[in-house]
Short mmCIF file of all heavy atoms in Angstrom, two decimals:
data_model
loop_
_atom_site.label_atom_id
_atom_site.label_comp_id
_atom_site.label_asym_id
_atom_site.label_seq_id
_atom_site.Cartn_x
_atom_site.Cartn_y
_atom_site.Cartn_z
N ARG R 1 -56.84 -36.05 95.93
CA ARG R 1 -57.81 -37.08 95.89
C ARG R 1 -59.22 -36.43 96.23
O ARG R 1 -60.18 -36.90 95.74
CB ARG R 1 -57.50 -38.10 96.85
CG ARG R 1 -56.29 -38.99 96.44
CD ARG R 1 -56.08 -40.19 97.31
NE ARG R 1 -55.02 -41.05 96.82
CZ ARG R 1 -54.63 -42.20 97.41
NH1 ARG R 1 -55.25 -42.61 98.64
NH2 ARG R 1 -53.72 -43.00 96.90
N ILE R 2 -59.22 -35.41 97.06
CA ILE R 2 -60.44 -34.76 97.46
C ILE R 2 -61.06 -33.88 96.37
O ILE R 2 -62.26 -33.90 96.09
CB ILE R 2 -60.30 -33.98 98.80
CG1 ILE R 2 -59.85 -34.87 99.94
CG2 ILE R 2 -61.53 -33.12 99.06
CD1 ILE R 2 -59.47 -34.17 101.17
N LEU R 3 -60.21 -33.15 95.59
CA LEU R 3 -60.71 -32.21 94.69
C LEU R 3 -61.19 -32.91 93.47
O LEU R 3 -60.67 -33.96 93.08
CB LEU R 3 -59.58 -31.27 94.22
CG LEU R 3 -59.04 -30.27 95.30
CD1 LEU R 3 -57.96 -29.47 94.70
CD2 LEU R 3 -60.19 -29.26 95.69
N PRO R 4 -62.24 -32.39 92.82
CA PRO R 4 -62.76 -32.87 91.54
C PRO R 4 -61.68 -32.92 90.48
O PRO R 4 -60.79 -32.04 90.49
CB PRO R 4 -63.91 -32.03 91.23
CG PRO R 4 -64.27 -31.32 92.47
CD PRO R 4 -63.10 -31.21 93.30
N LYS R 5 -61.82 -33.76 89.55
CA LYS R 5 -60.84 -33.81 88.42
C LYS R 5 -60.72 -32.45 87.69
O LYS R 5 -59.52 -32.01 87.28
CB LYS R 5 -61.23 -35.01 87.42
CG LYS R 5 -60.24 -35.12 86.28
CD LYS R 5 -60.63 -36.24 85.43
CE LYS R 5 -59.55 -36.35 84.27
NZ LYS R 5 -59.98 -37.48 83.38
N SER R 6 -61.81 -31.82 87.38
CA SER R 6 -61.71 -30.53 86.63
C SER R 6 -60.93 -29.44 87.33
O SER R 6 -60.18 -28.74 86.73
CB SER R 6 -63.19 -30.00 86.39
OG SER R 6 -63.85 -29.85 87.64
N VAL R 7 -61.09 -29.45 88.66
CA VAL R 7 -60.31 -28.43 89.46
C VAL R 7 -58.90 -28.89 89.42
O VAL R 7 -58.03 -27.95 89.38
CB VAL R 7 -60.93 -28.44 90.90
CG1 VAL R 7 -60.01 -27.48 91.72
CG2 VAL R 7 -62.34 -27.99 90.92
N ARG R 8 -58.60 -30.12 89.59
CA ARG R 8 -57.17 -30.60 89.57
C ARG R 8 -56.54 -30.19 88.19
O ARG R 8 -55.35 -29.79 88.23
CB ARG R 8 -57.10 -32.09 89.77
CG ARG R 8 -57.56 -32.60 91.14
CD ARG R 8 -56.95 -33.92 91.47
NE ARG R 8 -57.16 -34.98 90.52
CZ ARG R 8 -58.30 -35.68 90.48
NH1 ARG R 8 -59.25 -35.53 91.41
NH2 ARG R 8 -58.41 -36.59 89.56
N VAL R 9 -57.21 -30.38 87.11
CA VAL R 9 -56.71 -30.05 85.74
C VAL R 9 -56.47 -28.50 85.74
O VAL R 9 -55.38 -28.01 85.24
CB VAL R 9 -57.71 -30.41 84.74
CG1 VAL R 9 -57.23 -29.78 83.30
CG2 VAL R 9 -57.80 -31.87 84.61
N ALA R 10 -57.36 -27.71 86.28
CA ALA R 10 -57.14 -26.20 86.29
C ALA R 10 -55.99 -25.79 87.10
O ALA R 10 -55.19 -24.94 86.75
CB ALA R 10 -58.40 -25.58 86.87
N LEU R 11 -55.81 -26.44 88.25
CA LEU R 11 -54.65 -26.11 89.10
C LEU R 11 -53.36 -26.51 88.40
O LEU R 11 -52.29 -25.87 88.60
CB LEU R 11 -54.73 -26.79 90.39
CG LEU R 11 -55.83 -26.29 91.43
CD1 LEU R 11 -55.93 -27.24 92.67
CD2 LEU R 11 -55.45 -24.87 91.75
N ALA R 12 -53.36 -27.65 87.70
CA ALA R 12 -52.20 -28.03 86.99
C ALA R 12 -51.78 -27.05 85.95
O ALA R 12 -50.62 -26.74 85.76
CB ALA R 12 -52.43 -29.49 86.36
N ALA R 13 -52.78 -26.46 85.19
CA ALA R 13 -52.52 -25.64 84.15
C ALA R 13 -51.96 -24.27 84.78
O ALA R 13 -51.01 -23.68 84.20
CB ALA R 13 -53.84 -25.13 83.50
N VAL R 14 -52.45 -23.92 85.95
CA VAL R 14 -51.89 -22.71 86.58
C VAL R 14 -50.47 -22.93 87.03
O VAL R 14 -49.60 -22.10 86.87
CB VAL R 14 -52.72 -22.37 87.92
CG1 VAL R 14 -52.04 -21.28 88.77
CG2 VAL R 14 -54.11 -21.88 87.48
N ALA R 15 -50.21 -24.20 87.54
CA ALA R 15 -48.82 -24.61 87.92
C ALA R 15 -47.86 -24.54 86.73
O ALA R 15 -46.81 -24.06 86.80
CB ALA R 15 -48.75 -25.91 88.52
N LEU R 16 -48.30 -25.01 85.59
CA LEU R 16 -47.51 -25.05 84.38
C LEU R 16 -47.21 -23.65 83.86
O LEU R 16 -46.08 -23.34 83.46
CB LEU R 16 -48.19 -25.86 83.32
CG LEU R 16 -48.10 -27.31 83.47
CD1 LEU R 16 -48.93 -28.08 82.41
CD2 LEU R 16 -46.68 -27.88 83.46
N THR R 17 -48.25 -22.74 84.03
CA THR R 17 -48.08 -21.43 83.55
C THR R 17 -47.02 -20.71 84.47
O THR R 17 -46.22 -19.96 84.01
CB THR R 17 -49.43 -20.59 83.70
OG1 THR R 17 -50.42 -21.32 82.83
CG2 THR R 17 -49.26 -19.21 83.31
N GLY R 18 -47.15 -20.96 85.77
CA GLY R 18 -46.15 -20.35 86.70
C GLY R 18 -44.78 -20.84 86.41
O GLY R 18 -43.78 -20.09 86.42
N LEU R 19 -44.65 -22.11 86.03
CA LEU R 19 -43.30 -22.64 85.70
C LEU R 19 -42.75 -21.92 84.50
O LEU R 19 -41.60 -21.61 84.33
CB LEU R 19 -43.41 -24.17 85.42
CG LEU R 19 -42.11 -24.87 85.13
CD1 LEU R 19 -41.05 -24.70 86.15
CD2 LEU R 19 -42.38 -26.34 84.77
N ALA R 20 -43.72 -21.83 83.43
CA ALA R 20 -43.22 -21.19 82.20
C ALA R 20 -42.78 -19.71 82.53
O ALA R 20 -41.78 -19.28 81.92
CB ALA R 20 -44.43 -21.14 81.14
N GLN R 21 -43.54 -19.04 83.35
CA GLN R 21 -43.12 -17.70 83.73
C GLN R 21 -41.81 -17.64 84.43
O GLN R 21 -41.03 -16.73 84.18
CB GLN R 21 -44.30 -17.00 84.60
CG GLN R 21 -45.55 -16.72 83.75
CD GLN R 21 -46.59 -16.19 84.67
OE1 GLN R 21 -46.58 -16.43 85.91
NE2 GLN R 21 -47.66 -15.63 84.02
N GLY R 22 -41.58 -18.67 85.22
CA GLY R 22 -40.33 -18.71 85.93
C GLY R 22 -39.10 -18.91 85.01
O GLY R 22 -38.16 -18.19 85.19
N VAL R 23 -39.39 -19.78 84.00
CA VAL R 23 -38.35 -19.92 82.96
C VAL R 23 -38.14 -18.64 82.32
O VAL R 23 -36.99 -18.19 81.99
CB VAL R 23 -38.70 -21.11 82.01
CG1 VAL R 23 -37.71 -21.18 80.89
CG2 VAL R 23 -38.74 -22.36 82.80
N GLN R 24 -39.21 -17.95 81.81
CA GLN R 24 -39.15 -16.70 81.15
C GLN R 24 -38.35 -15.65 81.95
O GLN R 24 -37.61 -14.89 81.39
CB GLN R 24 -40.57 -16.16 80.74
CG GLN R 24 -40.58 -14.92 80.01
CD GLN R 24 -40.03 -15.10 78.61
OE1 GLN R 24 -40.02 -16.12 78.07
NE2 GLN R 24 -39.41 -13.97 78.08
N ALA R 25 -38.58 -15.71 83.23
CA ALA R 25 -37.93 -14.68 84.04
C ALA R 25 -36.41 -14.83 84.13
O ALA R 25 -35.71 -14.05 84.52
CB ALA R 25 -38.49 -14.76 85.57
N GLN R 26 -35.97 -16.09 83.71
CA GLN R 26 -34.51 -16.31 83.75
C GLN R 26 -33.95 -16.10 82.34
O GLN R 26 -32.76 -16.51 82.22
CB GLN R 26 -34.29 -17.75 84.23
CG GLN R 26 -34.67 -18.04 85.69
CD GLN R 26 -33.93 -17.11 86.66
OE1 GLN R 26 -32.65 -17.07 86.66
NE2 GLN R 26 -34.62 -16.35 87.49
N GLU R 27 -34.69 -15.53 81.45
CA GLU R 27 -34.09 -15.30 80.16
C GLU R 27 -33.78 -13.77 80.11
O GLU R 27 -34.67 -12.92 80.40
CB GLU R 27 -35.13 -15.58 79.07
CG GLU R 27 -34.57 -15.23 77.68
CD GLU R 27 -35.60 -15.51 76.48
OE1 GLU R 27 -36.53 -14.76 76.42
OE2 GLU R 27 -35.37 -16.56 75.87
N LEU R 28 -32.58 -13.43 79.74
CA LEU R 28 -32.25 -12.07 79.49
C LEU R 28 -32.12 -11.77 78.08
O LEU R 28 -31.42 -12.37 77.33
CB LEU R 28 -30.83 -11.83 80.17
CG LEU R 28 -30.68 -11.81 81.64
CD1 LEU R 28 -29.31 -11.58 82.10
CD2 LEU R 28 -31.64 -10.76 82.31
N ARG R 29 -32.90 -10.62 77.69
CA ARG R 29 -32.82 -10.30 76.25
C ARG R 29 -31.91 -9.11 76.10
O ARG R 29 -31.93 -8.14 76.90
CB ARG R 29 -34.25 -9.84 75.81
CG ARG R 29 -35.21 -10.99 75.72
CD ARG R 29 -36.62 -10.40 75.41
NE ARG R 29 -36.75 -9.60 74.20
CZ ARG R 29 -37.32 -8.48 74.08
NH1 ARG R 29 -37.92 -7.97 75.06
NH2 ARG R 29 -37.24 -7.85 72.89
N ILE R 30 -31.08 -9.21 75.08
CA ILE R 30 -30.04 -8.06 74.83
C ILE R 30 -30.24 -7.60 73.37
O ILE R 30 -30.28 -8.44 72.38
CB ILE R 30 -28.64 -8.58 75.02
CG1 ILE R 30 -28.50 -9.11 76.51
CG2 ILE R 30 -27.69 -7.47 74.79
CD1 ILE R 30 -27.11 -9.67 76.77
N TRP R 31 -30.36 -6.29 73.28
CA TRP R 31 -30.26 -5.69 71.86
C TRP R 31 -28.85 -5.12 71.66
O TRP R 31 -28.38 -4.31 72.49
CB TRP R 31 -31.29 -4.58 71.73
CG TRP R 31 -32.65 -5.09 71.49
CD1 TRP R 31 -33.04 -6.38 71.37
CD2 TRP R 31 -33.84 -4.26 71.25
NE1 TRP R 31 -34.38 -6.40 71.15
CE2 TRP R 31 -34.92 -5.18 71.11
CE3 TRP R 31 -34.08 -2.87 71.19
CZ2 TRP R 31 -36.20 -4.68 70.80
CZ3 TRP R 31 -35.37 -2.45 71.00
CH2 TRP R 31 -36.38 -3.35 70.80
N THR R 32 -28.18 -5.60 70.62
CA THR R 32 -26.81 -5.15 70.32
C THR R 32 -26.74 -5.25 68.79
O THR R 32 -27.55 -5.86 68.17
CB THR R 32 -25.78 -6.03 70.95
OG1 THR R 32 -24.49 -5.61 70.56
CG2 THR R 32 -26.07 -7.46 70.76
N PHE R 33 -25.62 -4.75 68.24
CA PHE R 33 -25.31 -4.86 66.83
C PHE R 33 -24.44 -6.08 66.60
O PHE R 33 -24.18 -6.39 65.46
CB PHE R 33 -24.76 -3.60 66.18
CG PHE R 33 -23.48 -3.20 66.90
CD1 PHE R 33 -22.21 -3.73 66.59
CD2 PHE R 33 -23.50 -2.26 67.94
CE1 PHE R 33 -21.00 -3.39 67.26
CE2 PHE R 33 -22.31 -1.85 68.56
CZ PHE R 33 -21.06 -2.36 68.19
N LEU R 34 -24.03 -6.66 67.66
CA LEU R 34 -23.22 -7.94 67.60
C LEU R 34 -23.99 -9.16 67.35
O LEU R 34 -25.17 -9.31 67.88
CB LEU R 34 -22.38 -8.13 68.76
CG LEU R 34 -21.30 -7.04 69.09
CD1 LEU R 34 -20.58 -7.35 70.46
CD2 LEU R 34 -20.27 -6.85 67.94
N ASP R 35 -23.51 -10.06 66.53
CA ASP R 35 -24.15 -11.34 66.26
C ASP R 35 -23.46 -12.41 67.05
O ASP R 35 -22.17 -12.62 66.89
CB ASP R 35 -24.08 -11.71 64.81
CG ASP R 35 -24.84 -12.96 64.44
OD1 ASP R 35 -25.14 -13.73 65.28
OD2 ASP R 35 -25.10 -13.11 63.23
N LEU R 36 -24.15 -13.12 67.93
CA LEU R 36 -23.49 -14.15 68.74
C LEU R 36 -22.78 -15.21 67.95
O LEU R 36 -21.87 -15.90 68.44
CB LEU R 36 -24.53 -14.81 69.73
CG LEU R 36 -24.01 -15.29 70.99
CD1 LEU R 36 -23.34 -14.26 71.81
CD2 LEU R 36 -25.19 -15.97 71.86
N ASN R 37 -23.24 -15.42 66.79
CA ASN R 37 -22.60 -16.41 65.86
C ASN R 37 -21.57 -15.80 64.91
O ASN R 37 -21.09 -16.46 64.04
CB ASN R 37 -23.68 -17.21 65.08
CG ASN R 37 -24.63 -17.93 65.98
OD1 ASN R 37 -24.24 -18.66 66.94
ND2 ASN R 37 -25.89 -17.84 65.84
N GLY R 38 -21.37 -14.48 65.05
CA GLY R 38 -20.38 -13.88 64.15
C GLY R 38 -18.96 -14.17 64.40
O GLY R 38 -18.69 -14.84 65.42
N GLN R 39 -18.12 -13.85 63.49
CA GLN R 39 -16.71 -14.27 63.61
C GLN R 39 -15.65 -13.10 63.81
O GLN R 39 -14.56 -13.32 63.88
CB GLN R 39 -16.28 -15.06 62.25
CG GLN R 39 -17.03 -16.20 62.00
CD GLN R 39 -16.90 -17.29 63.08
OE1 GLN R 39 -15.87 -17.55 63.55
NE2 GLN R 39 -18.11 -17.74 63.65
N SER R 40 -16.25 -11.83 63.92
CA SER R 40 -15.30 -10.79 64.26
C SER R 40 -14.73 -10.97 65.71
O SER R 40 -15.38 -11.55 66.49
CB SER R 40 -16.07 -9.41 64.14
OG SER R 40 -17.04 -9.23 65.26
N GLY R 41 -13.72 -10.27 65.99
CA GLY R 41 -13.10 -10.41 67.31
C GLY R 41 -14.01 -9.95 68.38
O GLY R 41 -14.08 -10.63 69.45
N ARG R 42 -14.78 -8.96 68.19
CA ARG R 42 -15.71 -8.46 69.23
C ARG R 42 -16.87 -9.52 69.47
O ARG R 42 -17.25 -9.71 70.62
CB ARG R 42 -16.33 -7.09 68.83
CG ARG R 42 -15.30 -6.00 68.81
CD ARG R 42 -16.04 -4.59 68.64
NE ARG R 42 -16.54 -4.45 67.31
CZ ARG R 42 -16.98 -3.20 66.89
NH1 ARG R 42 -16.99 -2.22 67.72
NH2 ARG R 42 -17.50 -3.12 65.73
N GLU R 43 -17.31 -10.10 68.43
CA GLU R 43 -18.33 -11.09 68.45
C GLU R 43 -17.83 -12.37 69.19
O GLU R 43 -18.54 -12.97 70.03
CB GLU R 43 -18.88 -11.42 67.14
CG GLU R 43 -19.75 -10.27 66.56
CD GLU R 43 -20.04 -10.40 65.10
OE1 GLU R 43 -19.21 -10.90 64.40
OE2 GLU R 43 -21.11 -9.93 64.64
N VAL R 44 -16.63 -12.75 68.88
CA VAL R 44 -16.03 -13.89 69.57
C VAL R 44 -15.88 -13.69 71.15
O VAL R 44 -16.23 -14.45 71.94
CB VAL R 44 -14.72 -14.29 68.91
CG1 VAL R 44 -13.99 -15.28 69.80
CG2 VAL R 44 -14.80 -14.73 67.51
#
């Protein structure tokens, strides 16, 4: 309530960015020759 609206918007944007980074930090990227949707025994 004390902060001006423009500052509150900026802080909200920072918070959303931090949340997005948090989600990104929980994603693991893997390079492999297997296809997760493939039907070979190794892929299953």
Side-chain angles (χ1 to χ4, degrees):
R1 289 186 176 181
I2 294 172
L3 291 176
K5 181 178 179 180
S6 60
V7 177
R8 296 202 305 271
V9 171
L11 287 174
V14 171
L16 287 173
T17 301
L19 178 60
Q21 290 175 341
V23 172
Q24 180 66 27
Q26 293 302 304
E27 180 182 75
L28 289 179
R29 294 173 57 226
I30 301 177
W31 280 2
T32 173
F33 57 85
L34 296 180
D35 184 345
L36 206 58
N37 298 313
Q39 299 303 309
S40 73
R42 292 188 292 189
E43 289 167 326
V44 172

